Amino acid sequence: MPSQHPSHVVAAADPAVGVRPPAYSSVTAGVRGYDVVEPLDWRELNRRVAPVPDPERDDSDDAAPRGR
């Protein structure tokens, strides 16, 4: 059986070890406010977030076959 305890266990109980003083931290620090907005047209919102077609790869919708 070891005669000494591991240093990390002993250091936690040593009053001479320096520690940071406690500091106040607001519970709402970093919280963003979101205001109420009017609903928008979902089609326009989809167009805004859709990937931009690559003209070099001919990814445009114009080249897509159209069903009848």
Side-chain angles (χ1 to χ4, degrees), residues 1-66:
M1 180 164 219
S3 61
Q4 291 184 333
H5 297 291
S7 63
H8 64 276
V9 174
V10 176
D14 186 3
V17 173
V19 294
R20 284 188 291 162
Y24 175 76
S25 177
S26 172
V27 257
T28 57
V31 174
R32 277 182 71 180
Y34 293 97
D35 294 329
V36 178
V37 296
E38 294 297 318
L40 300 174
D41 180 29
W42 61 269
R43 292 176 196 96
E44 179 58 32
L45 292 174
N46 284 347
R47 282 187 210 103
R48 288 184 197 172
V49 298
V52 179
D54 187 4
E56 291 180 11
R57 290 182 35 196
D58 198 23
D59 285 346
S60 67
D61 289 337
D62 298 336
R66 306 237 186 253

